């Protein structure tokens, strides 16, 4: 029932841009906080950007000023607009939904982003 489907990943050159999308279904999207995480091979998964149900945003310092997280509750979708991409941004990017009250959230399956010449 619950689904988080990421899309938009791919190969991009350094300095390029990419927009990731995560379409949610099976839960009340508008009441959930949403986050984008990434995980590179051999490294821990890290939070990239976060947006609350009320629209407040937070970014990791490494992407501040380059990435923008946004949500469209009418479309049950959260976006990650990435610009000025760097090779170190390469990772599998995951969408995560956190419920309004403490508990386990939901994860998408991830989409690969590769920044390389």
């Amino acid at each position: 029932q619950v689904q988080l489907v990421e899309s938009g990943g791919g190969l991009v050159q350094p300095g390029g841009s990419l927009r990731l999308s995560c379409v949610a279904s099976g839960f009340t999207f508008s009441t959930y906080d949403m986050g984008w995480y990434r995980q590179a091979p051999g490294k821990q998964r890290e939070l990239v950007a976060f947006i609350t149900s009320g629209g407040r945003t937070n970014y990791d310092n490494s992407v501040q000023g380059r990435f923008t997280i946004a949500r469209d509750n009418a479309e049950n979708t959260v976006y990650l607009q990435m610009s000025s991409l760097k090779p170190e941004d390469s990772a599998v990017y995951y969408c995560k939904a956190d419920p309004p009250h403490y508990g386990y959230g939901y994860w998408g399956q991830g989409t690969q982003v590769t920044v390389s010449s």
Side-chain angles (χ1 to χ4, degrees):
Q1 181 68 261
V2 172
Q3 284 195 97
L4 293 172
V5 181
E6 300 101 332
S7 63
L11 176 65
V12 63
Q13 293 190 355
S17 298
L18 213 57
R19 187 169 89 152
L20 306 183
S21 299
C22 173
V23 180
S25 60
F27 63 97
T28 308
F29 176 83
S30 62
T31 69
Y32 278 61
D33 297 337
M34 301 296 298
W36 283 99
Y37 295 73
R38 67 187 180 189
Q39 187 168 28
K43 301 185 74 68
Q44 294 183 224
R45 191 170 298 185
E46 64 179 3
L47 178 65
V48 176
F50 190 79
I51 184 166
T52 69
S53 61
R56 297 191 305 275
T57 59
N58 287 291
Y59 299 92
D60 184 81
N61 288 337
S62 67
V63 306
Q64 181 72 48
R66 300 188 298 118
F67 290 12
T68 301
I69 188 170
R71 66 190 298 158
D72 186 340
N73 288 341
E75 299 292 331
N76 284 3
T77 303
V78 62
Y79 303 95
L80 185 67
Q81 177 66 53
M82 306 183 292
S83 62
S84 301
L85 283 161
K86 306 173 181 179
E88 52 262 45
D89 294 319
S90 297
V92 177
Y93 282 71
Y94 297 91
C95 175
K96 183 174 186 282
D98 287 309
H101 303 290
Y102 184 82
Y104 292 104
Y106 307 118
W107 288 94
Q109 292 193 175
T111 184
Q112 177 72 52
V113 172
T114 303
V115 184
S116 176
S117 297

